[in-house]
Amino acid sequence: MKLKDKVAYITGAASGIGKEIAIVFAREGARIVIADLNQAAAEATAAELKSSGAQAVGMAVDVTDEQQVEASVEATVKTFGRVDILVSNAGIQIVHPIVEFGFSDWKKLLAIHLDGAFLTTRACLKHMYAQGGGRVIYMGSVHSKEASLLKAPYVTAKHGLIGLCKTVAKEGGPHGIRANVICPGFVRTPLVEKQIPEQARTLGMTETEVVKNVMLKETVDGEFTTTDDVATVALLFASFPSNALTGQSLVVSHGWFMQ
Ligand code: NAD
């Protein structure tokens, strides 16, 4: 087992990519905190993990709320004694042309992706520094490196996570911290299912055309990235044995974006 007895605090882990990471980390021996806005789904996911023999707890957390983040990380340490891995994954998508983008939607999206990453990082680092180390994994996107139509705040936030990651890697390095970003292509989770009809309406295409000609057009095989593809990379970052792999961002997108 690659993560035996490690404690992982994973945001947005009641659905999609975060949930798959929780399942894979639990299988590798980690104890898991599912920190998600959706309390019922967080508890259901924790129950699912427990039924397969893992230790897991679901917590209702809005990652944009400073008190809730602080309290849930404290509760994590109280429950499991430590926090070794932060996966800052919670996210949403809102699509509009820039000229029609509401300021409140802009701020909401930036808050979840960037304030959420900052608040969870700060809360976990305090404990990780005291323990002598830890791993921080941010859920970026191909949109951390590339732009697409209609996604101004998402592209902005995902690029921003790379800056935060590099800073955490430098500041935290002497304290045993490693920080990295995963940059997935399109993964068929509820976040993407919602976008397909929205983009079809805005771009004047059918949903099939959005999938084929917008989302997967530049991939090498016309395939979606899977939650399993992303969780495999998360496990690599969480378990890599040395400081050689820190401050990096790895694209996992079926060749959509090549560096
Ligand atoms: P998802 O909608 O399946 O899951 C997102 C989870 O985040 C949900 O459980 C939701 O309740 C939770 N959440 C939303 N706002 C929250 C908040 N304020 N506080 C706490 N939890 C909150 O989406 P997903 O596709 O699994 O996305 C997970 C991450 O992966 C996001 O950061 C997303 O930007 C990123 N990502 C997704 C794709 C994709 O194609 N699906 C591609 C690249 C990156």
Side-chain angles (χ1 to χ4, degrees):
M1 286 198 205
K2 291 183 175 156
L3 301 177
K4 189 154 172 37
D5 296 331
K6 300 290 184 198
V7 176
Y9 176 99
I10 309 174
T11 70
S15 174
I17 291 172
K19 182 172 178 179
E20 186 72 28
I21 292 172
I23 292 167
V24 169
F25 281 16
R27 204 183 293 144
E28 293 293 335
R31 296 170 283 167
I32 310 288
V33 174
I34 309 284
D36 200 290
L37 193 59
N38 184 336
Q39 180 166 11
E43 284 168 3
T45 303
E48 220 177 294
L49 294 180
K50 282 196 272 191
S51 72
S52 54
Q55 290 185 57
V57 47
M59 293 186 193
V61 184
D62 179 346
V63 295
T64 68
D65 183 308
E66 185 176 10
Q67 305 306 328
Q68 288 185 29
V69 169
E70 290 287 332
S72 65
V73 172
E74 289 310 314
T76 299
V77 173
K78 205 164 168 214
T79 307
F80 292 130
R82 51 193 297 116
V83 58
D84 299 289
I85 304 162
L86 162 64
V87 184
S88 171
N89 164 78
I92 60 164
Q93 180 61 281
I94 306 174
V95 292
H96 296 295
I98 293 179
V99 289
E100 290 167 22
F101 232 107
F103 190 33
S104 60
D105 277 345
W106 166 270
K107 284 193 282 196
K108 180 180 175 187
L109 195 144
L110 290 188
I112 294 173
H113 290 267
L114 290 179
D115 297 356
F118 163 68
L119 290 172
T120 52
T121 299
R122 192 183 60 179
C124 288
L125 280 188
K126 285 177 200 157
H127 296 283
M128 291 173 174
Y129 281 11
Q131 290 162 198
R135 307 286 168 264
V136 180
I137 299 168
Y138 296 104
M139 198 52 62
S141 164
V142 162
H143 291 108
S144 298
K145 315 258 177 187
E146 177 64 282
S148 288
L149 298 175
L150 313 177
K151 297 186 176 172
Y154 189 83
V155 171
T156 304
K158 292 301 192 190
H159 275 68
L161 286 177
I162 291 189
L164 176 63
C165 168
K166 289 178 177 173
T167 310
V168 170
K170 283 208 172 172
E171 271 188 36
H175 300 275
I177 306 298
R178 294 176 206 148
N180 293 288
V181 185
I182 306 173
C183 300
F186 283 100
V187 184
R188 203 141 193 179
T189 65
L191 180 141
V192 161
E193 293 295 350
K194 181 171 165 282
Q195 276 174 66
I196 296 170
E198 286 174 358
Q199 292 214 21
R201 265 195 308 279
T202 316
L203 298 172
M205 296 176 177
T206 66
E207 294 187 15
T208 312
E209 284 168 341
V210 168
V211 169
K212 226 176 141 205
N213 302 337
V214 179
M215 294 182 163
L216 305 180
K217 186 166 178 240
E218 304 293 339
T219 62
V220 296
D221 53 9
E223 298 282 344
F224 278 98
T225 300
T226 65
T227 56
D228 193 52
D229 292 330
V230 182
T232 302
V233 175
L235 180 60
L236 171 75
F237 282 142
S239 63
F240 195 79
S242 81
N243 284 333
L245 197 53
T246 192
Q248 303 306 305
S249 47
L250 183 57
V251 179
V252 48
S253 71
H254 286 243
W256 163 17
F257 183 84
M258 299 189 190
Q259 288 176 299

